[in-house]
Amino acid sequence: MISQKEHLSRLAGPLSKKERFTRREDLKLKQLVAKFSTDNWKIIAEHLKPRTPRQCRERWCNYINPKLSHDPWSADEDDILIKLHYDLGNHWKEMQKYLPKRSKNDIKKRWNYLKKLSQVDDDLLKYMNKNYSLDNK
């Protein structure tokens, strides 16, 4: 059996930094992605120590990628999300194909927000989704 310390070091690397990315790190990450692309996060992380490849990839995919929109969600996007959830379930990555300016993380967060905001039970939500399926658009 491994110790708790060893377990944590395997998850995030022994020297990984569990703090927010700084502006300097964000800028460096943008430069590294421009140089090495998004094909090898291990190489990028080696240039951004003590960050791990996973931290770099998730920061890029969820926040830094210039293709992502940080604008407020529109009513049209909400409608598309409701229809997609009915057709696809919780397949956030698949939904991202229809909402290319939103990260899968943003899509999941928005869905959970809409569910909480609406405060409706699952049966009513299914009814709404059925009446607004992608086939009806």
Side-chain angles (χ1 to χ4, degrees), residues 67-74 77-78 101-102 106 110:
K67 294 179 184 175
L68 296 178
S69 171
H70 298 289
D71 295 332
W73 282 70
S74 68
E77 286 177 314
D78 285 344
K101 293 183 179 182
R102 302 294 182 177
D106 282 339
R110 184 63 177 182

Side-chain angles (χ1 to χ4, degrees), residues 85 111 115 119-129:
H85 194 272
W111 173 254
K115 263 183 28 177
Q119 296 182 0
V120 295
D121 62 26
D122 286 338
D123 292 338
L124 182 56
L125 192 57
K126 286 177 185 175
Y127 173 78
M128 289 170 49
N129 282 330

